[in-house]
């Protein structure tokens, strides 16, 4: 007996559901923000990026430039091996190893330990200038990144409590590393069939409050990068290798952690604002 058609006639004679038919046409090369979050590495990623610099500073102070270079490369390799053993994404460790190799090559070629910090100083200057330049264009880069990773119209970060954040991280990891399905039904409802996020009723740039908040966040991040340049450049010119290393550590992970905490708090408030605005005034 042929299955009856739906009211709108979307069910075919074979009984295929409309979602199954639509699922084959909606696939394409897209960026998954959950995958991007995983690739960023979170707190572990920031700590791993700091370890080679710590190893270089300590070893250079104790045993000289050659020892510092060897320890920096060794620390970067250990981070990569550790991620491979744990079957984690090696992308960030590989990029970190490449950055350490460039810094080490510059220091070795010049014979001066201070040149190890030159790539970082240049990188911070470029990032700071680009961040500031995006604000007058009304495309604050912090907003672009935040809306890609966690669109405010979804309200997923409306609660910024730690337990809620942990649940969101666990959910993202479960989607990235799903359990192998046991039945055909589970295969059909797996990650490939995860419904797409609903489109916003209006773009985030059409909300002046959101654009203004993202603009100030972008300025804050630009200041953190340019502050490192302002502090490290005089120390570099004065050949203060020890102080240059200390400044790199103090203005690195601790300042980044504070800026990130402020960003998460503001973004959570923006999510609540977008959700309340889209829902309209209470009846």
């Amino acid at each position: 007996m042929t299955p009856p058609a739906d009211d709108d006639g979307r069910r075919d004679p074979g009984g295929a559901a409309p979602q199954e038919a639509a699922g084959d046409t909606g696939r394409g090369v897209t960026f998954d923000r959950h995958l991007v979050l995983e690739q960023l590495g979170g707190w572990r990623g920031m700590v791993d990026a700091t370890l080679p610099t710590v190893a270089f500073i300590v070893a250079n102070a104790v045993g000289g430039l050659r020892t510092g270079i060897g320890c920096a490369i060794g620390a970067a390799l250990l981070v990569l091996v550790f991620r491979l053993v744990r079957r984690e994404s090696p992308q960030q460790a590989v990029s970190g190893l490449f950055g350490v190799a460039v810094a080490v090559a510059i220091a070795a070629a010049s014979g001066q330990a201070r040149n190890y910090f030159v790539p970082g100083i240049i990188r911070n200057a470029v990032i700071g200038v680009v961040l500031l330049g995006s604000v007058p264009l009304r495309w604050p880069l912090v907003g672009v990144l935040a809306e890609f990773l966690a669109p405010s119209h979804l309200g997923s970060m409306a609660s910024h409590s730690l337990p809620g954040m942990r649940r969101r991280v666990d959910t993202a990891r479960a989607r990235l590393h799903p359990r192998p399905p046991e039945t055909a039904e589970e295969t059909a409802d797996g990650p490939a069939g995860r419904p797409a996020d609903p489109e916003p009723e209006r773009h985030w740039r059409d909300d002046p409050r959101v654009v203004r908040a993202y603009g100030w966040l972008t300025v804050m991040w630009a200041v953190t990068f340019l502050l490192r340049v302002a502090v490290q450049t005089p120390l570099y010119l004065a050949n203060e290798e020890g102080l240059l290393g200390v400044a790199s550590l103090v203005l690195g992970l601790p300042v980044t952690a504070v800026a990130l905490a402020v960003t998460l708090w503001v973004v959570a408030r923006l999510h609540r604002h977008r959700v309340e605005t889209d829902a309209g005034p209470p009846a």
Side-chain angles (χ1 to χ4, degrees):
M1 181 176 180
T2 304
D6 294 336
D7 293 337
D8 55 0
R10 286 180 296 176
R11 183 176 295 277
D12 60 13
Q19 290 82 355
E20 296 174 357
D24 296 335
T25 60
R27 294 176 185 176
V29 180
T30 58
F31 291 99
D32 190 339
R33 66 174 182 278
H34 299 293
L35 181 60
V36 175
L37 282 170
E38 184 76 6
Q39 297 298 327
L40 291 177
W43 293 106
R44 267 279 311 281
M46 288 190 288
V47 172
D48 291 347
T50 306
L51 289 179
T53 301
V54 175
F56 176 82
I57 294 172
V58 175
N60 177 69
V62 174
L65 179 59
R66 289 182 179 271
T67 305
I69 290 175
C71 289
I73 295 178
L77 288 174
L78 284 177
V79 170
L80 176 59
V81 172
F82 182 74
R83 284 184 173 267
L84 292 176
V85 169
R86 291 175 57 89
R87 296 183 179 180
E88 298 175 347
S89 173
Q91 178 177 339
Q92 190 176 29
V94 171
S95 60
L97 179 61
F98 176 77
V100 170
V102 172
V104 161
I106 295 176
S110 62
Q112 297 181 345
R114 66 173 183 168
N115 288 330
Y116 176 88
F117 303 96
V118 167
I121 295 175
I122 296 176
R123 181 183 66 247
N124 289 330
V126 172
I127 294 176
V129 171
V130 171
L131 286 172
L132 282 181
S134 68
V135 176
L137 300 177
R138 296 190 77 255
W139 278 98
L141 290 182
V142 171
V144 174
L145 181 61
E147 289 293 325
F148 171 70
L149 298 178
S152 58
H153 70 279
L154 299 180
S156 59
M157 293 185 64
S159 173
H160 57 278
S161 60
L162 186 57
M165 184 66 69
R166 285 177 177 172
R167 283 195 298 271
R168 286 192 292 274
V169 172
D170 292 340
T171 302
R173 287 179 176 175
R175 289 172 175 171
L176 288 169
H177 307 288
R179 177 176 58 86
E182 299 177 355
T183 64
E185 289 76 7
E186 292 184 4
T187 303
D189 296 334
R194 179 167 59 90
D197 294 330
E199 293 294 331
E201 294 184 0
R202 61 170 177 166
H203 197 273
W204 62 271
R205 293 181 65 245
D206 295 332
D207 191 326
R209 177 177 174 178
V210 174
V211 175
R212 186 165 55 250
Y214 280 141
W216 282 112
L217 286 177
T218 303
V219 171
M220 179 192 69
W221 278 100
V223 169
T224 62
F225 285 103
L226 296 178
L227 177 63
R228 296 165 188 164
V229 177
V231 173
Q232 289 181 303
T233 300
L235 295 176
Y236 172 82
L237 296 177
N239 201 20
E240 295 287 349
E241 298 176 358
L243 293 178
L244 189 58
V246 172
S248 176
L249 294 179
V250 173
L251 298 176
L253 185 57
V255 174
T256 301
V258 173
L260 184 60
V262 173
T263 301
L264 291 176
W265 181 76
V266 174
V267 170
R269 292 177 62 88
L270 290 179
H271 276 226
R272 290 199 298 271
H273 163 70
R274 285 292 300 274
V275 171
E276 293 170 357
T277 301
D278 293 342

